[in-house]
Amino acid sequence: MSNSPTGQGRGADPVADAVDYFSRIGPAASAIRDAAPEERERHIARLTQVCDRYRSGDTVEFHAAAWIWTARKSSE
């Protein structure tokens, strides 16, 4: 397992960059896309708050974990 920070937002406005990224891919993107139009702004505002909380200088960093699973067919 790997558990290390990953940068999702960079540049002059890393929070806006991260919000743009997460609005296009992953569970936040699905929630925003599937929300009623009047709810989308609330979802984006919450996502912006979360990204701002994880801002470190000119990046937005979240810890990420990954597991690699392999399987083999039994020889029985």
Side-chain angles (χ1 to χ4, degrees), residues 19-54:
V19 169
D20 178 63
Y21 175 80
F22 289 124
S23 293
R24 290 181 286 115
I25 189 169
S30 296
I32 292 167
R33 181 183 59 248
D34 297 342
E38 62 274 7
E39 294 292 314
R40 287 188 186 123
E41 288 304 316
R42 187 174 61 84
H43 287 310
I44 293 170
R46 180 69 179 125
L47 179 58
T48 301
Q49 290 173 343
V50 171
C51 289
D52 191 50
R53 189 175 333 144
Y54 287 91

Side-chain angles (χ1 to χ4, degrees), residues 6-19 22 47-63:
T6 62
Q8 300 304 334
R10 302 191 192 302
D13 191 344
V15 172
D17 188 49
V19 169
F22 289 124
L47 179 58
T48 301
Q49 290 173 343
V50 171
C51 289
D52 191 50
R53 189 175 333 144
Y54 287 91
R55 181 180 182 165
S56 177
D58 63 351
T59 62
V60 174
E61 293 183 350
F62 291 92
H63 280 272

